[in-house]
């Protein structure tokens, strides 16, 4: 992408809005734009990062057998009445009426919709197990909004639901889902702590949240320094400084960001929505059900909370909106459309590299470098009158020193 034609234009100073560092950097780098409090547009840079994370999630969820669907946001009141959640959801549902005064919720989650869908499809034990997931927009009627993407009113979530003939099979899949979540967060460069949390109104069983330690987090967890135990403060039976209940390690306290959660609902939803199957002996049985979420939009914000410095974002390679940022400082070539000018840009593209090309004329080297640091693409390539033909100055975003190397060598480094 040529930056001279690029829709995203960085801001010179931090925006007034923004109560979290990720919020400020994402607004300033023009990754997102605020439409209303807690409601954001994803711009080209932000969407590319988002799509990269979506890809990781799809790959890992499909590995454990998840099949992708896309369910509607408009959900009729009747299905919420069946589970008695029309009035009990917290935060309360966003409600809308159609022109015939029929009421709908804008879905904050899809247990009701998916259970209804599976009820129509499941007859025999041979139809189970089944795992369906989607990457889709959710609406939450929050009391307050925080940190831009960290707590928004409209956001994208990955939600996975699994249906089983018995408790053991649910348990097996539940453990596979834990493995998939660990793989997803590891691939994003994050160390997620699996923390026990309250199951909410529908299950007495402990659920797990996946928490990322961060000063910018809204949650507090107590966790073992050896990584074998953690609880959300809301249910914690431990405090900082005591011995871990599972090993000889010490319990620590930390602020954290919840990026995912997993629930074993058992047969609660099947009872309420009468979802049954016929077992091998011909008897009707209730279906066992699990629900697994990842706040994808929040995950983008979390990466920025964790990976930044005083100059801007430092994207991990897997999430970066582009693989390389090519900065052109050849003042004699910057204007016009000569073949010589675009040769390196085209060579990189031909090598399969996703490159943002700063071809802007009349912008100082200092401003270009400042923008590159703010946007945070992992590798910066500089081409200038000082660098010999066929070579390029290479600097990693997370390192101080730059190196002059042959273009081919730079291509190998990026790929
Ligand atoms: Zn421990």
């Amino acid at each position: 992408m040529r930056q001279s034609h690029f829709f995203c234009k960085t801001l010179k100073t931090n925006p007034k809005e923004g109560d979290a560092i990720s919020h400020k950097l994402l607004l300033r780098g023009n990754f997102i734009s605020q439409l209303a409090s807690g409601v954001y547009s994803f711009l080209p840079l932000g969407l590319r990062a988002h799509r990269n994370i979506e890809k990781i999630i799809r790959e890992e969820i499909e590995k454990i057998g998840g099949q992708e669907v896309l369910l509607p946001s408009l959900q009729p009141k009747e299905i919420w009445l069946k589970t008695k959640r029309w009035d009990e959801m917290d935060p309360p549902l966003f409600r809308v009426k159609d022109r015939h005064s029929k009421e709908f919720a804008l879905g904050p989650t899809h247990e009701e919709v998916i259970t209804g869908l599976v009820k129509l499809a499941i007859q025999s034990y041979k139809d189970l197990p089944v795992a369906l997931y989607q990457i889709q927009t959710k609406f939450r009627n929050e009391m307050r909004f925080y940190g831009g993407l960290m707590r928004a009113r409209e956001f994208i979530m990955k939600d996975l639901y699994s249906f089983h003939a018995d408790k053991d099979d649910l348990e097996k899949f539940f453990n596979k889902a834990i493995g998939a979540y660990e793989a997803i967060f590891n691939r994003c460069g994050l160390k997620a702590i699996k923390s026990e949390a309250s199951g909410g109104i529908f299950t007495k069983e402990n659920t797990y949240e996946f928490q990322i330690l961060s000063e910018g987090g809204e949650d507090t967890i107590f966790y073992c320094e050896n990584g074998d135990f953690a609880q959300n403060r809301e249910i914690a039976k431990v405090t900082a400084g005591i011995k871990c209940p599972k090993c000889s390690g010490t319990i620590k306290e930390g602020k954290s960001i919840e990026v995912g959660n997993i629930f074993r609902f058992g047969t609660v939803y099947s009872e309420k929505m009468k979802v049954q199957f016929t077992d091998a002996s011909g008897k009707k049985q209730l279906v066992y059900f699990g629900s697994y979420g990842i706040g994808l939009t929040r995950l983008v914000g979390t990466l920025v909370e964790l990976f930044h410095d005083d100059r801007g974002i430092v994207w991990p390679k897997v999430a970066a909106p582009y693989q390389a940022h090519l900065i052109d400082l050849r003042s004699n070539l910057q204007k016009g459309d000569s073949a010589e000018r675009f040769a390196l840009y085209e060579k990189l593209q031909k090598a399969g590299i996703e490159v943002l090309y700063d071809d802007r004329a009349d912008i100082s080297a200092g401003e270009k470098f400042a923008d590159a640091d703010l946007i945070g693409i992992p590798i910066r390539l500089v081409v200038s009158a000082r660098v010999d033909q066929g070579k390029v100055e290479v600097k990693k975003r997370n390192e101080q020193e730059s190196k002059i190397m042959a273009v081919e060598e730079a291509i190998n480094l990026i790929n």
Side-chain angles (χ1 to χ4, degrees):
M1 180 73 221
R2 288 174 60 184
Q3 227 169 322
S4 58
H5 293 58
F6 201 33
F7 182 70
C8 294
K9 306 270 187 280
T10 59
L11 310 176
K12 293 271 175 292
T13 53
N14 272 336
K16 276 200 251 20
E17 56 274 64
D19 44 10
I21 186 70
S22 59
H23 192 192
K24 282 186 192 298
L25 289 172
L26 288 165
L27 286 172
R28 191 170 159 197
N30 218 211
F31 289 80
I32 58 171
S33 174
Q34 183 168 316
L35 177 64
S37 289
V39 183
Y40 297 90
S41 304
F42 267 86
L43 305 183
L45 277 174
L47 186 60
R48 291 179 72 95
H50 200 286
R51 291 266 190 263
N52 288 338
I53 299 168
E54 278 178 39
K55 185 170 174 281
I56 292 173
I57 292 178
R58 281 198 172 89
E59 284 171 7
E60 296 300 332
I61 297 299
E62 304 224 345
K63 267 188 211 165
I64 60 166
Q67 302 176 53
E68 188 165 5
V69 291
L70 185 58
L71 307 172
S73 292
L74 268 183
Q75 305 183 359
K77 180 180 180 179
E78 296 75 58
I79 63 168
W80 286 88
L81 289 176
K82 276 186 192 161
T83 56
K84 300 197 168 55
R85 294 211 292 179
W86 179 254
D87 291 310
E88 285 187 23
M89 278 300 282
D90 180 28
L93 294 168
F94 266 116
R95 297 174 182 183
V96 292
K97 270 187 195 166
D98 73 8
R99 62 202 297 171
H100 309 293
S101 296
K102 189 170 158 47
E103 288 185 277
F104 292 83
L106 293 177
T109 180
H110 280 72
E111 279 89 4
E112 280 77 2
V113 175
I114 198 103
T115 310
L117 184 73
V118 166
K119 180 181 169 156
L120 298 174
I122 300 291
Q123 273 140 24
S124 134
Y125 68 98
K126 290 176 190 160
D127 299 326
L128 294 168
V130 64
L132 301 171
Y133 79 100
Q134 61 172 346
I135 289 176
Q136 189 256 12
T137 304
K138 300 282 186 266
F139 299 86
R140 297 244 167 122
N141 203 346
E142 298 282 3
M143 181 67 87
R144 66 184 199 95
F145 330 111
Y146 164 78
L149 302 187
M150 306 306 285
R151 182 176 290 280
R153 289 195 282 183
E154 179 178 334
F155 56 93
I156 309 276
M157 191 168 152
K158 184 287 298 168
D159 41 335
L160 164 70
Y161 306 92
S162 71
F163 299 85
H164 308 268
D166 57 47
K167 202 175 173 183
D168 282 354
D169 199 54
L170 169 60
E171 202 63 30
K172 255 190 249 162
F173 188 83
F174 191 78
N175 288 323
K176 274 194 206 168
I178 290 173
Y181 273 39
E182 285 168 348
I184 289 165
F185 298 126
N186 281 340
R187 284 178 68 182
C188 291
L190 295 170
K191 193 178 172 308
I193 299 177
K194 191 180 81 189
S195 306
E196 292 172 26
S198 151
I201 54 174
F202 277 171
T203 173
K204 292 275 174 289
E205 293 230 45
N206 270 353
T207 61
Y208 292 110
E209 293 171 342
F210 288 80
Q211 297 275 359
I212 310 290
L213 288 173
S214 166
E215 275 311 303
E218 284 189 293
D219 285 9
T220 300
I221 56 166
F222 293 100
Y223 63 99
C224 171
E225 58 186 355
N226 294 335
D228 58 357
F229 175 85
Q231 286 182 327
N232 191 306
R233 181 174 60 184
E234 289 167 3
I235 61 149
K237 294 179 187 75
V238 295
T239 54
I242 69 164
K243 195 168 143 287
C244 169
K246 292 204 174 155
C247 76
S248 58
T250 305
I251 296 294
K252 293 183 163 184
E253 178 178 354
K255 286 227 183 206
S256 61
I257 303 167
E258 182 196 340
V259 287
N261 51 34
I262 52 179
F263 298 88
R264 282 167 288 197
F265 282 122
T267 56
V268 179
Y269 278 90
S270 319
E271 278 164 34
K272 289 177 192 294
M273 297 187 66
K274 304 196 172 44
V275 189
Q276 293 178 319
F277 68 97
T278 309
D279 70 13
S281 65
K283 263 175 59 188
K284 291 269 186 209
Q285 303 282 359
L286 288 167
V287 169
Y288 281 78
F289 175 57
S291 168
Y292 320 80
I294 289 180
L296 220 156
T297 303
R298 182 183 290 179
L299 195 48
V300 175
T302 303
L303 288 176
V304 180
E305 280 295 321
L306 266 84
F307 303 117
H308 69 268
D309 61 18
D310 54 2
R311 288 172 291 143
I313 303 172
V314 186
W315 287 107
K317 203 172 164 183
V318 290
Y322 289 91
Q323 291 171 283
H325 200 165
L326 173 63
I327 314 276
D328 194 340
L329 301 179
R330 299 169 301 181
S331 53
N332 58 328
L333 287 178
Q334 272 183 30
K335 287 181 184 156
D337 283 324
S338 71
E340 191 188 350
R341 181 183 178 212
F342 291 105
L344 179 55
Y345 175 50
E346 281 163 8
K347 189 167 188 170
L348 293 168
Q349 286 184 310
K350 277 193 190 125
I353 294 168
E354 293 175 352
V355 51
L356 182 62
Y357 175 34
D358 195 346
D359 63 331
R360 294 174 299 173
D362 308 318
I363 302 249
S364 72
E367 281 174 90
K368 288 188 175 187
F369 290 152
D371 272 356
D373 282 345
L374 174 61
I375 293 170
I377 294 167
I379 293 191
R380 188 184 80 185
L381 307 173
V382 178
V383 58
S384 71
R386 284 176 42 215
V387 183
D388 291 340
Q389 195 81 42
K391 295 197 168 179
V392 67
E393 187 185 324
V394 180
K395 185 182 139 343
K396 290 188 179 169
R397 177 62 182 83
N398 58 0
E399 288 175 4
Q400 295 299 324
E401 300 301 314
S402 62
K403 260 193 233 164
I404 309 269
M405 60 177 78
V407 171
E408 281 71 21
E409 203 184 329
I411 288 172
N412 287 337
L413 182 78
I414 297 162
N415 272 332

